[in-house]
């Protein structure tokens, strides 16, 4: 899906076509499909597309959490403590906001905390959300270098442009190996990331 959408929009100015992501949050797009579904029903039109869109997006945080759990159970059985570093806690990164209402990252973190209780060291960073708000979630606030260093898993959970500007290869080299790198917003080329020894790239939309 990602390759198809990017190819279709290459060199042609139009409104951005949404790409597969870890979920849609906030207080507008999470309710609008239900409103549209009601209008559709009133006019005798099937609302299935609207309802299915929300069903899929609501399931994405658990989907991401399960990916991490599977990696840990398969690759890190002997590790007593697993460090997970999450980037992006606001419900969206662009246009930037500090609003965490309905944030897929928050739901993913809660799922990880529940499923890996006592075994996970959760760390995180957001380019806009304040340190205090992130720590209130039970997440240690760490900037890029400290967050990537010795991390077993790194997750990019929103689309703030700053995340795509980091020296990703230098940062990945500081992770524990094997390492899990989830590029939820397609900032980097999978084939390039997979060249980094010991790093397992995970994405969405066919990657």
């Amino acid at each position: 899906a990602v390759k198809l959408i990017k190819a279709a929009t290459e060199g042609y100015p139009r409104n951005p076509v949404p790409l597969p992501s870890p979920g849609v949050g906030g207080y507008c797009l999470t309710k609008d499909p239900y409103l549209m579904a009601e209008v559709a029903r009133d006019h005798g039109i099937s609302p299935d597309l609207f309802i299915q869109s929300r069903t899929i997006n609501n399931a994405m945080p658990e989907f991401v959490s399960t990916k991490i759990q599977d990696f840990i159970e398969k690759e890190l059985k002997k590790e007593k403590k697993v460090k997970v570093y999450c980037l992006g806690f606001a419900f969206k990164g662009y246009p930037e906001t500090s609003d965490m209402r309905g944030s897929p990252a928050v739901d993913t973190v809660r799922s990880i905390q529940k499923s890996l209780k006592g075994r996970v060291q959760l760390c995180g960073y957001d380019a806009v959300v304040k340190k205090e708000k992130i720590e209130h979630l039970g997440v240690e606030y760490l900037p890029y270098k400290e967050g990537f260093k010795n991390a077993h898993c790194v997750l990019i959970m929103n689309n703030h442009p700053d995340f795509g500007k980091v020296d990703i290869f230098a940062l990945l080299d500081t992770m524990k190996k094997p390492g899990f790198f989830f590029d939820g917003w397609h900032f980097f080329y999978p084939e390039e990331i997979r060249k980094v020894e010991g790093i397992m790239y995970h994405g969405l939309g066919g990657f």
Side-chain angles (χ1 to χ4, degrees):
V2 175
K3 287 184 178 180
L4 180 62
I5 291 169
K6 288 187 174 182
T9 58
E10 181 68 26
Y12 187 84
R14 55 159 61 93
N15 289 333
V17 177
L19 295 170
S21 73
V24 175
Y27 47 91
C28 292
L29 293 181
T30 51
K31 66 172 173 48
D32 289 352
Y34 298 117
L35 299 177
M36 294 174 73
E38 286 302 308
V39 173
R41 289 191 185 99
D42 290 344
H43 288 80
I45 300 169
S46 171
D48 289 355
L49 181 62
F50 307 121
I51 300 301
Q52 286 298 322
S53 70
R54 282 312 308 157
T55 299
I56 292 169
N57 278 294
N58 285 336
M60 288 309 295
E62 190 65 32
F63 176 79
V64 176
S65 174
T66 299
K67 272 180 169 278
I68 296 166
Q69 294 172 51
D70 290 345
F71 170 78
I72 291 172
E73 291 305 314
K74 183 178 179 181
E75 304 290 343
L76 306 177
K77 289 182 178 179
K78 296 181 180 180
E79 295 285 346
K80 293 182 179 179
K81 203 78 169 180
V82 176
K83 180 179 178 181
V84 177
Y85 183 51
C86 181
L87 289 166
F89 283 81
F91 78 83
K92 64 178 179 180
Y94 183 82
E96 68 177 16
T97 178
S98 62
D99 196 337
M100 293 194 296
R101 284 180 288 181
S103 167
V106 173
D107 290 338
T108 300
V109 162
R110 286 172 175 159
S111 177
I112 294 170
Q113 288 170 327
K114 182 179 179 181
S115 60
L116 297 170
K117 189 175 182 180
R119 196 182 172 194
V120 64
Q121 175 194 354
L122 268 168
C123 312
Y125 173 79
D126 188 282
V128 183
V129 177
K130 293 182 178 179
K131 174 182 178 181
E132 293 76 18
K133 287 189 174 183
I134 292 176
E135 291 182 338
H136 185 70
L137 299 171
V139 177
E140 182 183 359
Y141 182 90
L142 293 176
Y144 298 121
K145 288 185 178 180
E146 290 84 350
F148 272 84
K149 187 176 181 180
N150 293 325
H152 298 89
C153 305
V154 173
L155 320 174
I156 298 180
M157 293 298 294
N158 77 20
N159 61 338
H160 196 284
D162 283 2
F163 298 152
K165 298 174 184 176
V166 300
D167 186 347
I168 191 63
F169 299 104
L171 291 170
L172 290 174
D173 280 340
T174 68
M175 289 179 63
K176 288 276 192 180
K177 309 298 188 299
F180 177 104
F181 179 66
F182 177 72
D183 182 9
W185 284 90
H186 327 287
F187 281 111
F188 307 103
Y189 291 106
E191 57 270 21
E192 294 298 321
I193 300 298
R194 290 187 175 116
K195 291 178 182 177
V196 181
E197 187 175 356
I199 297 297
M200 298 182 182
Y201 177 96
H202 291 263
L204 300 166
F207 293 124

